[in-house]
Amino acid sequence: MKPLAFLLSAIMLTGISSTASAETITKKDQKAILGVHNVYRWSLKVQKLEWSEDLAKSAQTWAGMLENNGCPLAHSPVEIRNGYGENLYAGWSSSPGYRISIKNGTYAWAKEKPFYQYDTNSCAANKVCGHYTQMVWKDTQHVGCALAHCDASGQSTEILVCHYDPPGNYEGKTPY
């Protein structure tokens, strides 16, 4: 099966290695991430997600690569993430040390819900909904996340990277 092209936007970076130590997600933030995901999954009668340290390590690998390259908002190549699904959220500020709200980042994905059209299994015209559909994908059982953080040229950037297993967003398949 192929991931849905109309649901995913990807900029591929290849040939890079990670030496940065991207941040792991605190237990409090893990609960916030799971809470937002599982509220939306519960509303659809989809099994709740559980946290995976293996997926968090996979997400941390990509977050480290993003840090090493100045924090571009870019999806990882499928082979780097071992075929896992992936959602990204970024925040920028001119304030040094800026930190995103992980809970708000997760809600940003959930706010795509109105743009997903179940009857046609597609996003509304000129809208993005693939983050939401990955969040609620019925076969997905685990999530793990990490943060990339960069301060450069008077701008602070932080990127939330979440990996999902099994992945979702398969062409011809509905999320729930």
Side-chain angles (χ1 to χ4, degrees), residues 50-124:
E50 294 183 14
W51 189 262
S52 165
E53 287 301 323
D54 288 340
L55 290 173
K57 287 176 186 172
S58 175
Q60 191 169 5
T61 297
W62 184 243
M65 290 180 182
L66 293 175
E67 285 180 353
N68 286 340
N69 287 279
C71 287
L73 184 58
H75 281 284
S76 61
V78 175
E79 57 276 5
I80 287 179
R81 66 180 120 112
N82 301 311
Y84 299 137
E86 181 176 76
N87 276 352
L88 303 177
Y89 172 81
W92 298 268
S93 176
S94 58
S95 300
Y98 168 77
R99 307 308 299 222
I100 63 170
S101 163
I102 289 174
K103 190 171 186 178
N104 287 348
T106 310
Y107 271 123
W109 299 328
K111 287 180 183 176
E112 296 175 3
K113 179 182 179 178
F115 308 132
Y116 175 65
Q117 301 169 332
Y118 188 86
D119 57 331
T120 60
N121 192 30
S122 62
C123 300

Side-chain angles (χ1 to χ4, degrees), residues 145-156:
C145 307
L147 287 171
H149 185 86
C150 296
D151 285 312
S153 304
Q155 179 171 299
S156 186

Side-chain angles (χ1 to χ4, degrees), residues 7-30:
L7 289 178
L8 298 175
S9 61
I11 301 170
M12 299 300 189
L13 298 178
T14 57
I16 51 180
S17 62
S18 175
T19 57
S21 57
E23 294 180 41
T24 56
I25 301 294
T26 66
K27 294 289 184 192
K28 178 182 173 188
D29 286 334
Q30 287 176 18

